[in-house]
Amino acid sequence: MSTALYPPLPSDPVLRLRLAPRSVMPRPIDGAWWPRSYDLLAELPSLLAGLPRAWGHITSVTVNGATWSAAPGRMLVFNQVVGLHRALAASAPHTVVLLAPGQGRWDLLVVPPDTTEEAAEPLMAAAASSHV
């Protein structure tokens, strides 16, 4: 009897997310997210799964409408409905806004998916810095 060895099944890629330390003072940016694409339906579930439980259930996500691919007005993520909104504000083209009723609002810098690791790392570190 012989045993065949198979390569491990591919796993989900590691979530590229850095969050700033908790603070009592409001911050303009609460961290950075480096998605692998601008496909919100593909990227959002892993982002929401990687957020701290203390943030509660995210019910609303707003992204830049000119940057992200078209998406329906809401989607089901982990058996919870999440409202999807597209803003066209030029003031924050590279952010995603997450809302959880009764818990708060979090703004994350979105590092463009095609950014090299060498360029993305300092951006993510700066966004997650306690000095922002």
Side-chain angles (χ1 to χ4, degrees):
M1 180 169 148
S2 66
T3 303
L5 296 177
Y6 297 98
L9 294 174
S11 62
D12 290 333
V14 174
L15 176 64
R16 301 182 297 189
L17 175 70
R18 288 251 190 104
L19 300 176
R22 292 188 101 182
S23 171
V24 294
M25 297 298 296
R27 303 172 48 88
I29 292 291
D30 299 294
W33 175 40
W34 183 20
R36 288 179 166 69
S37 74
Y38 280 119
D39 181 350
L40 192 58
L41 298 179
E43 300 292 339
L44 191 58
S46 63
L47 171 63
L48 297 183
L51 296 175
R53 288 185 188 257
W55 286 19
H57 169 61
I58 302 297
T59 61
S60 177
V61 175
T62 302
V63 296
N64 182 304
T67 305
W68 290 85
S69 62
R74 61 184 178 202
M75 70 183 282
L76 194 62
V77 180
F78 307 116
N79 293 323
Q80 301 283 336
V81 175
V82 177
L84 305 178
H85 308 280
R86 299 167 57 85
L88 296 176
S91 62
H94 297 290
T95 61
V96 60
V97 177
L98 308 170
L99 297 174
Q103 298 294 318
R105 169 188 167 147
W106 295 273
D107 292 39
L108 300 177
L109 171 73
V110 176
V111 177
D114 60 354
T115 305
T116 65
E117 187 171 348
E118 294 78 23
E121 187 58 36
L123 292 172
M124 294 186 70
S129 167
S130 60
H131 304 294
V132 173

